[in-house]
Amino acid sequence: MNKKLTSERGITLPELLAVFVILGFLSIVIISFLINGFKQQARLQIEAELRDEADIIMAELISDIYTLKKSDLKEEHFPQSGTNNYYFELLDGEKVGFIDGEIQLKSGDSVSLTTNKIVLEKQSKIELIDEAKGLYRITLVLKKAGEGVGQTLTTESEVSIIMN
């Protein structure tokens, strides 16, 4: 008979331990990459939600402010005394801007956030940049709250009103 077929020699203990050590090391590396990937995906998903919300809000605000005429303004509250309210008050009583943590539009409606986990931060404001040109800067700060996540997004846009 052939000696190779009848040999009962198996794997030695050091060889078996070496295989387990290598597998353990590879498992740790692979699992850490997976965990980091899941965390990155969750962070990017939150950022996308915040950006979508900010785009909707900014589009609505810019649409209302861009069509304002200087002659239609009764008063600018930047900020309203004793509050974090930044808004335009029009001659007809309508208000456009940030009032009591809400986004107020010309139609009298407020822009509702798509989820209650996204909140309008107090740092959101409207400020006059150039009075002669009627140029204003809108700073919008949104925060995703809950689930141990406190990610914030700040966007800024400049818009001018009609000067007549």
Side-chain angles (χ1 to χ4, degrees):
M1 280 200 149
N2 189 349
K3 276 190 166 183
K4 288 184 181 178
L5 293 177
T6 60
S7 173
E8 293 184 17
R9 185 169 186 265
I11 299 174
T12 64
L13 183 60
E15 291 171 335
L16 188 60
L17 288 175
V19 168
F20 284 133
V21 167
I22 291 170
L23 286 175
F25 179 72
L26 288 174
S27 299
I28 290 171
V29 170
I30 290 169
I31 289 172
S32 68
F33 276 121
L34 285 173
I35 290 172
N36 286 337
F38 288 133
K39 286 180 183 177
Q40 180 76 1
Q41 186 268 341
R43 189 184 65 75
L44 290 174
Q45 184 176 359
I46 291 169
E47 186 176 318
E49 286 178 39
L50 288 170
R51 285 191 183 281
D52 289 345
E53 197 74 39
D55 286 345
I56 293 168
I57 293 169
M58 278 297 205
E60 293 285 342
L61 272 175
I62 289 172
S63 173
D64 274 2
I65 294 172
Y66 185 72
T67 59
L68 286 179
K69 295 179 183 175
K70 183 74 170 174
S71 59
D72 292 340
L73 295 180
K74 178 179 179 183
E75 195 172 353
E76 298 171 346
H77 300 274
F78 300 148
Q80 182 185 22
S81 176
T83 68
N84 285 332
N85 295 340
Y86 293 82
Y87 63 92
F88 296 97
E89 186 175 355
L90 307 180
L91 292 173
D92 60 5
E94 292 180 339
K95 297 175 183 177
V96 177
F98 304 115
I99 303 173
D100 297 328
E102 292 185 353
I103 301 96
Q104 195 71 36
L105 301 176
K106 237 173 33 173
S107 62
D109 295 333
S110 62
V111 176
S112 58
L113 301 170
T114 57
T115 175
N116 59 358
K117 293 182 181 178
I118 296 177
V119 294
L120 180 69
E121 289 290 287
K122 292 178 181 177
Q123 297 88 356
S124 298
K125 61 185 172 183
I126 301 172
E127 54 192 335
L128 179 63
I129 297 174
D130 188 342
E131 189 169 356
K133 295 179 182 177
L135 187 62
Y136 296 87
R137 178 180 296 125
I138 303 169
T139 303
L140 178 65
V141 183
L142 297 176
K143 182 176 182 179
K144 174 83 175 205
E147 300 147 17
V149 178
Q151 193 166 341
T152 303
L153 175 73
T154 302
T155 59
E156 289 185 344
S157 289
E158 292 182 2
V159 62
S160 62
I161 64 173
I162 300 168
M163 300 297 294
N164 68 0

